[in-house]
Amino acid sequence: MNNKTAFITGATSGIGKATAQFFAKNKIRLILCGRRSDRLAQLKKELGDLTDVTTLQFDVSNRDEVFKAIASLPKEFQKIDILINNAGNAHGLSTIQEGNLDDWDAMIDINIKGLLYVSRAILPKMIDRNNGFVVNIGSIAGKEVYPNGNVYCASKYAVNALNKAMRIDLNNYNIRVAAIHPGAVETEFSEVRFKGDKERAKNVYKGFKALEAEDIADIIYFVVTRPYHVNIEDLVVYPTAQASATILNKE
Ligand code: NDP
Ligand code: 8X3
């Protein structure tokens, strides 16, 4: 994978960060993105000895920031081979009738529009080169709706649909497109969903062995390192203890 460059959104935590670490060990050059600049700087320091790293600090839901940040990439990072659309989160967990409108806006703006803006900014150059790989991080929430999941599930159903749409629209341009849909992964995800309530977040993963961010990073690496004619289009990954969004074999 020498000389390949990957653009990872949501690289400051969880799945994105683990993917950055995995890719760095395998000598993939990295463009790491997120809003928390301290974490981006720390990652650049940590991974800079293993591979070439640059960072971009922007909010994926802010159109202008997305296009400006990507246009600002140094020349040596402008050829992007792999785009990992990973940035995203759930905000809140409640019924539609009690839903918080700001939470809805955040999930729609980040999980759907953010993924679209970043893809729109990067795809034209992949098309020009007739080469590229887009990995969209969906969720089992994009395959199955669960109680109180409503808008988060809808945002991940949209990711699932956009993944299929990209496969169709990019089919003539030799670009690979894949979606990975994880079940429960222990990251900062639940802390964000429950607005910093660490105790409640911890409970989500109590009594069973959840997936680790590294498990998904390993799978992303596998997907992007298949021979070029092989496209793993859709992959659902559960912890062994999980049979559906709501069925968990807990101690
Ligand atoms: P984390 O909360 O650990 O990481 C989320 C990442 O997304 C952070 O790096 C965060 O960076 C970034 N991010 C969030 N909002 C924005 C924004 N507006 N602009 C730019 N970056 C943003 O969660 P995970 O690693 O678990 O989540 C990664 C992806 O995996 C998400 O799409 C999530 O929906 C999906 N997923 C997670 C599962 C789980 O159980 N954990 C299961 C299935 C799917 P920063 O705050 O610095 O901007
Ligand atoms: C994250 C997994 O089940 O909390 O997408 O929606 S779940």
Side-chain angles (χ1 to χ4, degrees), residues 138-141 146 152 156 182-184 189 193 242 245:
S139 168
I140 55 159
Y146 54 83
Y152 178 66
K156 290 298 183 176
F189 177 85
R193 168 170 258 175
Q242 186 172 25

Side-chain angles (χ1 to χ4, degrees), residues 8-11 33-34 60 84-89 110-111 114-115 137 156:
I8 305 177
T9 67
C33 313
V60 293
I84 312 286
N85 274 323
N86 163 73
N89 276 120
I110 298 168
N111 301 355
L115 179 146
I137 305 302
K156 290 298 183 176

Side-chain angles (χ1 to χ4, degrees), residues 96-129:
I96 293 261
Q97 58 274 26
E98 289 163 336
N100 175 308
L101 273 66
D102 290 335
D103 285 345
W104 292 359
D105 283 346
M107 289 186 278
I108 291 166
D109 288 350
I110 298 168
N111 301 355
I112 307 175
K113 289 171 161 184
L115 179 146
L116 281 168
Y117 297 154
V118 171
S119 303
R120 182 67 182 81
I122 289 177
L123 285 172
K125 282 197 177 153
M126 286 188 177
I127 289 173
D128 286 348
R129 296 199 324 271

Side-chain angles (χ1 to χ4, degrees), residues 12 68 73 80 94 96 197:
T12 55
K68 268 190 199 144
L73 277 170
I80 297 166
S94 64
I96 293 261
D197 185 338

Side-chain angles (χ1 to χ4, degrees), residues 29 33 71 90 105 120 129 147 151 156 164 167 185 191 198 201 231 235:
R29 305 169 75 245
C33 313
D105 283 346
R120 182 67 182 81
R129 296 199 324 271
V151 177
K156 290 298 183 176
K164 291 177 197 300
R167 283 283 302 142
V185 191
E191 248 181 87
K198 286 189 197 292
N231 191 137
L235 208 51

Side-chain angles (χ1 to χ4, degrees), residues 38-67:
D38 52 333
R39 291 201 183 190
L40 288 172
Q42 176 56 38
L43 263 178
K44 187 173 175 179
K45 208 166 136 196
E46 176 191 327
L47 304 180
D49 286 342
L50 298 172
T51 188
D52 297 336
V53 181
T54 193
T55 62
L56 290 179
Q57 193 256 336
F58 63 93
D59 182 336
V60 293
S61 68
N62 182 315
R63 243 198 238 204
D64 291 342
E65 282 186 25
V66 170
F67 284 89

